[in-house]
Amino acid sequence: DVKVTQSSRYLVKRTGEKVFLECVQDMDHENMFWYRQDPGLGLRLIYFSYDVKMKEKGDIPEGYSVSREKKERFSLILESASTNQTSMYLCASTQGQGLNYGYTFGSGTRLTVV
Amino acid sequence: GQSLEQPSEVTAVEGAIVQINCTYQTSGFYGLSWYQQHDGGAPTFLSYNGLDGLEETGRFSSFLSRSDSYGYLLLQELQMKDSASYFCAVMGQAGTALIFGKGTTLSVSS
């Protein structure tokens, strides 16, 4: 089974801190994604990457950046955390477009910014 | 751009059949996917429809009508464990990443 592992299940950070959310997948998937999930808003795409050192903005990239130095690892960076970035962050990976076999998601990191 | 509409909540009783509808608008269509997410859990892939018609996987079926920009997820013989959120999703611009609907919360009661 493909496994997508997010390093922290819960995080509490202070406003203005630089925050790193880590995601590692173990099945050599090309494509990796970061979503945030908020009640009533569903999953919203922040950034994605289809290759090492490649990144593309999603629908809500403001306030975030990403890093993909190795194929298996995709990091989400909050440059200066703000309270409106309190959310559940979900990482996913897939091979190809991920249509027939779907995305595999990590268990999520619930970030609280105080 | 892309947009998806699905009901926010659906309730049903054990053993019943429930249908969760999804209408979409997208500039380029690559098919409709469905995901399930239990409370506190990760979304998991349920099904994908690339062509019109019904796809069946056990108690769950998914339907697509491309001409109507419409699909649905059909859950039969409902069980308590089916209580979860269900998301429809379409591929974003240029077939890059999935865009998800806001989700439908299904509550199954005994």
Side-chain angles (χ1 to χ4, degrees):
Chain A
D1 273 358
V2 177
K3 182 177 272 188
V4 176
T5 302
Q6 295 184 230
S7 54
S8 303
R9 182 71 169 139
Y10 298 95
L11 273 180
V12 180
K13 296 292 182 180
R14 294 197 179 276
T15 302
E17 277 193 78
K18 190 169 186 176
V19 181
F20 293 85
L21 303 184
E22 305 289 346
C23 175
V24 177
Q25 50 94 2
D26 66 0
M27 284 298 289
D28 203 36
H29 281 174
E30 299 165 342
N31 302 316
M32 298 187 74
F33 311 85
W34 277 106
Y35 291 86
R36 66 176 282 178
Q37 184 172 24
D38 301 288
L41 297 180
L43 285 75
R44 292 181 292 165
L45 181 65
I46 305 172
Y47 266 98
F48 61 99
S49 168
Y50 48 84
D51 202 352
V52 175
K53 296 192 186 295
M54 302 298 288
K55 60 185 179 183
E56 294 287 343
K57 293 180 179 179
D59 295 323
I60 52 164
E62 296 79 18
Y64 304 94
S65 62
V66 290
S67 173
R68 193 161 181 206
E69 296 296 319
K70 294 184 177 182
K71 191 174 186 179
E72 67 270 19
R73 185 180 297 271
F74 192 34
S75 303
L76 180 69
I77 304 157
L78 286 68
E79 297 291 342
S80 177
S82 64
T83 55
N84 62 13
Q85 292 178 310
T86 291
S87 187
M88 171 67 85
Y89 290 88
L90 291 163
C91 175
S93 75
T94 192
Q95 189 71 3
Q97 286 188 314
L99 294 174
N100 288 309
Y101 300 103
Y103 286 14
T104 300
F105 281 86
S107 297
T109 296
R110 185 166 293 282
L111 173 67
T112 302
V113 182
V114 297
Chain B
Q2 286 74 31
S3 68
L4 300 106
E5 294 290 332
Q6 53 182 128
S8 58
E9 292 183 24
V10 174
T11 59
V13 296
E14 276 189 301
I17 299 172
V18 73
Q19 179 174 312
I20 299 173
N21 298 320
C22 175
T23 57
Y24 59 85
Q25 285 186 319
T26 179
S27 53
F29 186 67
Y30 298 81
L32 185 69
S33 301
W34 289 92
Y35 285 74
Q36 178 192 59
Q37 185 182 31
H38 286 101
D39 198 27
T44 57
F45 173 70
L46 287 178
S47 68
Y48 165 70
N49 292 71
L51 300 174
D52 290 354
L54 192 68
E55 296 281 343
E56 298 181 65
T57 309
R59 294 187 298 113
F60 292 6
S61 303
S62 56
F63 173 82
L64 175 66
S65 169
R66 288 176 294 172
S67 60
D68 296 321
S69 297
Y70 164 76
Y72 64 73
L73 181 68
L74 190 73
L75 297 85
Q76 302 182 73
E77 300 172 19
L78 280 173
Q79 302 175 10
M80 297 290 284
K81 67 178 182 179
D82 298 329
S83 293
S85 292
Y86 293 84
F87 297 88
C88 57
V90 295
M91 193 60 70
Q93 290 181 346
T96 50
L98 284 178
I99 304 300
F100 289 82
K102 294 181 179 179
T104 299
T105 300
L106 171 63
S107 299
V108 181
S109 58
S110 57

